[in-house]
């Protein structure tokens, strides 16, 4: 009925997630609160891991893209599900290492890594550093030399694919701050420099063509472009790169009308391309990494709010203002992202009330959704914004000094805290 498998309605007419009554959760943990279903997360992790087994005979590694939602508990789950981790900052790396995530299964990304972050990654022994630019390559070689280490790297390549997604989250074209373009010669220049760097071991290449992509073709095309480049490297330098990281970006359903291709289908089809095309080019099938983020946690989460005010402006619109907003979910203000919203305590009633759901921040654009249909609501009702597991908690801010909500993890109907909600004391804790 709803966008996610883990969401349902119980006999009281309340919305449930992972078998837990969201109205009860709102009472227990307060609102706003992010709620995630652990079983749904693990189900997605397992499907990706199995797809590497099935399609590549296990010759690959699924890296959970922790930028989608990074906290200790998610790192523990990813570790428990035999996944690696994609981290993009010292903070994400620190979170992973704090739960003893095996460093060799961590890939460190970023287009503007700080010197201190590179030192941290080398000291920690992260498995692969995904090098984005020449400055980083030179700096990393110097750091490794000083520490008498050799660092395994992949180079981030722009395959130049135009994936049909929102402009702001398209990262594969030439005009992107990420990586080296092939056609300008930058990518080959980086390969030569990496091969000539005494403390760098260039093992492969990486690409990521964007996020929330519904079609499979752009991924297939990207895989081919990358294999072509690997052949080009072999011909030009004699080096045979053994690893190919195809990034993340698999689209999920935010609206019931969305129809992304299931990621299992993506894995199957792309692996066929990787295998047949490698053979055609005379290359060995590389070790494959994929980096799903949104598709692991997105649909496993929702956010609970309490309705504070219902304000109808005749002939204009009705604002339903809640006790959270752009601070805990900046995706509407950033990308005009779609969401389905349900009144959790009236979930069995018809959604025939057209409203704009607004936040409590001092900013007109602080909206969560415009002209969306929800049940007829009044102050005190609980609203659930669905599919907020990815890029909500991780992109949250303290704008207006509003504390960030807790992250609640549900498993088989039972709930526990994964991240405590912030207090006012937390808000001033670093003020001098
Ligand atoms: N790998 C790399 C190198 C990435 O840059 C990303 C996402 C991923 C993997 C994971 O992509 P996913 O499977 O989650 O689509 N804040 C935006 C999304 C930005 C994605 C950035 N990179 C949003 O809220 O939609």
């Amino acid at each position: 009925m709803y966008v996610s498998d883990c969401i349902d309605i119980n006999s009281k007419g309340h919305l449930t997630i992972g078998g837990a009554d969201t109205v009860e959760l709102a009472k227990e943990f307060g609102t706003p609160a992010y709620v995630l279903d652990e079983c749904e997360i693990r189900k997605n992790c397992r499907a990706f891991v199995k797809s590497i087994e099935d399609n590549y005979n296990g010759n690959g590694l699924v890296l959970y893209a922790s930028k989608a939602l990074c906290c200790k508990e998610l790192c523990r789950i990813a570790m428990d599900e035999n996944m690696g981790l994609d981290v993009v900052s010292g903070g994400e790396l620190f979170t992973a290492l704090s739960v003893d995530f095996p460093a060799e299964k961590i890939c460190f990304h970023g287009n503007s890594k700080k010197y201190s972050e590179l030192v941290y990654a080398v000291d920690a022994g992260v498995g692969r550093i995904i090098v984005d630019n020449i400055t980083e390559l030179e700096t990393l070689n110097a750091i490794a030399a000083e520490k008498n280490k050799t660092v395994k790297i992949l180079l981030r390549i722009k395959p130049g694919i135009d994936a049909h997604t929102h402009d702001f989250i398209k990262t594969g074209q030439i005009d992107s701050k990420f990586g080296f373009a092939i056609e300008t010669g930058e990518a080959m220049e980086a390969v030569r420099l990496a091969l000539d760097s005494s403390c760098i071991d260039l093992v492969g290449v990486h690409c990521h063509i964007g996020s929330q992509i519904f079609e499979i073709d752009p991924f297939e095309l990207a895989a081919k472009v990358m294999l072509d480049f690997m052949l080009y490297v072999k011909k030009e330098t004699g080096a045979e790169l053994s690893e190919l990281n195809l990034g993340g970006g698999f689209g999920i359903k935010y609206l019931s009308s969305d129809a992304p291709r299931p990621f299992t289908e993506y894995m199957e089809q792309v692996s066929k391309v990787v295998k047949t095309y490698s053979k055609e080019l005379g290359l060995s099938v590389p070790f494959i990494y994929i980096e799903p983020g949104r598709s692991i946690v997105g649909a496993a989460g929702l956010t609970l709010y309490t309705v504070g005010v219902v304000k109808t402006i005749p002939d204009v619109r009705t604002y339903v203002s809640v006790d959270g907003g752009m601070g805990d979910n900046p995706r509407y203000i950033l990308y005009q992202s779609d969401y389905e919203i349900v009144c959790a305590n009236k979930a069995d009633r018809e959604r025939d009330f057209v409203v704009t759901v607004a936040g409590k921040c001092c900013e007109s654009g602080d909206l969560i959704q415009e002209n969306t249909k929800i049940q007829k609501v009044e102050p005190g009702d609980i609203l659930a914004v669905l599919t907020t597991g990815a890029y909500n908690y991780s992109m949250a801010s303290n704008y207006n000094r509003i504390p960030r909500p807790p992250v609640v993890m549900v498993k088989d109907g039972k709930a526990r805290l994964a991240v405590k909600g912030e207090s006012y004391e937390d808000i001033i804790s670093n003020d001098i």
Side-chain angles (χ1 to χ4, degrees):
M1 169 175 184
Y2 287 123
V3 279
S4 168
D5 294 347
C6 58
I7 285 167
D8 212 338
I9 297 175
N10 66 15
S11 56
K12 292 183 187 160
H14 294 176
L15 193 76
T16 63
I17 176 164
D21 184 323
T22 55
V23 180
E24 295 303 320
L25 293 176
K27 270 190 211 146
E28 186 177 350
F29 296 98
T31 59
Y34 302 108
V35 187
L36 290 150
D37 177 24
E38 182 176 341
C39 295
E40 183 71 17
I41 295 173
R42 287 187 184 268
K43 187 183 87 183
N44 294 331
C45 292
R46 283 171 200 170
F48 273 111
V49 171
K50 184 172 183 302
S51 70
I52 290 280
E53 289 298 326
D54 293 351
N55 298 305
Y56 295 102
N57 293 323
N59 192 37
L61 182 64
V62 184
L63 306 168
Y64 166 58
S66 66
K67 70 208 79 183
L69 196 175
C70 185
C71 62
K72 287 181 174 185
E73 191 61 357
L74 254 293
C75 293
R76 287 188 201 106
I77 291 174
M79 180 162 57
D80 195 41
E81 294 297 338
N82 299 313
M83 293 161 80
L85 215 59
D86 147 5
V87 301
V88 75
S89 72
E92 288 182 354
L93 179 57
F94 186 81
T95 308
L97 296 176
S98 74
V99 296
D100 296 327
F101 202 99
E104 66 280 5
K105 288 173 87 176
I106 298 178
C107 288
F108 189 33
H109 281 274
N111 68 302
S112 185
K113 299 179 189 81
K114 289 166 68 157
Y115 184 83
S116 58
E117 289 178 316
L118 287 172
V119 169
Y120 182 27
V122 172
D123 283 343
V126 305
R128 304 287 181 268
I129 295 186
I130 318 297
V131 172
D132 175 273
N133 55 75
I134 298 290
T135 308
E136 182 187 340
L137 187 55
E138 290 170 344
T139 309
L140 188 60
N141 188 47
I143 293 171
E146 200 172 294
K147 294 178 182 293
N148 237 331
K149 285 190 172 182
T150 301
V151 177
K152 287 192 186 330
I153 69 156
L154 307 185
L155 290 174
R156 174 142 186 178
I157 306 295
K158 298 178 197 183
I161 309 294
D162 180 7
H164 301 283
T165 180
H166 198 290
D167 269 350
F168 291 159
I169 50 179
K170 221 187 282 180
T171 50
Q173 321 102 305
I174 295 174
D175 182 9
S176 161
K177 67 173 182 170
F178 297 106
F180 301 98
I182 297 173
E183 43 278 78
T184 56
E186 286 170 74
M188 187 53 81
E189 190 198 328
V191 166
R192 290 187 199 284
L193 183 61
L195 293 173
D196 284 347
S197 302
S198 53
C199 297
I200 295 288
D201 181 8
L202 174 64
V203 291
V205 279
H206 167 278
C207 71
H208 171 76
I209 58 170
S211 199
Q212 185 58 0
I213 299 170
F214 278 22
E215 305 87 21
I216 294 180
D217 307 4
F219 289 109
E220 291 182 345
L221 194 57
K224 280 189 163 180
V225 170
M226 296 300 281
L227 287 165
D228 280 335
F229 183 68
M230 289 167 91
L231 177 66
Y232 180 40
V233 168
K234 188 177 171 185
K235 282 190 178 149
E236 289 284 308
T237 69
E240 190 154 1
L241 303 179
S242 58
E243 299 187 357
L244 174 57
N245 185 328
L246 293 168
F250 322 114
I252 63 164
K253 249 174 129 119
Y254 281 95
L255 299 179
S256 303
S257 53
D258 287 340
R261 303 284 290 278
F263 55 73
T264 43
E265 229 174 82
Y266 152 83
M267 290 297 289
E268 218 170 277
Q269 280 181 232
V270 174
S271 73
K272 266 186 214 145
V273 170
V274 169
K275 285 185 278 193
T276 52
Y277 201 56
S278 303
K279 200 168 171 198
E280 217 174 283
L281 299 181
L283 295 171
S284 329
V285 177
F287 183 89
I288 296 289
Y289 297 93
I290 48 155
E291 302 175 329
R294 190 191 311 269
S295 46
I296 299 276
V297 287
L302 54 76
T303 310
L304 297 175
Y305 300 97
T306 301
V307 174
V309 182
V310 180
K311 186 181 287 180
T312 299
I313 307 170
D315 303 324
V316 182
R317 61 167 120 188
T318 296
Y319 283 99
V320 171
S321 295
V322 297
D323 53 354
M326 62 183 280
D328 60 77
N329 184 355
R331 296 191 70 255
Y332 188 75
I333 200 166
L334 278 174
Y335 319 118
Q336 295 76 52
S337 304
D338 292 321
Y339 285 106
E340 280 186 4
I341 304 180
V342 181
C343 178
N345 51 307
K346 298 174 179 166
D348 56 348
R349 302 194 197 163
E350 210 179 321
R351 286 195 279 169
D352 53 3
F353 191 30
V354 178
V355 301
T356 288
V357 176
K360 67 185 264 87
C361 289
C362 199
E363 176 127 356
S364 315
D366 171 26
L367 306 175
I368 291 182
Q369 203 64 196
E370 287 178 276
N371 304 319
T372 188
K373 278 190 177 170
I374 62 171
Q375 291 84 355
K376 183 100 184 140
V377 291
E378 56 197 0
D381 280 341
I382 303 297
L383 282 194
V385 178
L386 309 185
T387 335
T388 59
Y391 303 111
N392 274 237
Y393 169 73
S394 64
M395 289 172 71
S397 78
N398 288 124
Y399 184 44
N400 292 164
R401 293 230 137 176
I402 296 169
R404 269 178 283 229
V407 178
V408 175
M409 191 68 79
V410 167
K411 191 180 182 195
D412 301 325
K414 292 209 175 67
R416 65 182 194 278
L417 271 181
V419 180
K420 282 190 256 175
E422 287 173 343
S423 63
Y424 290 144
E425 281 303 319
D426 292 329
I427 295 278
I428 59 161
S429 63
N430 289 325
D431 291 13
I432 308 297

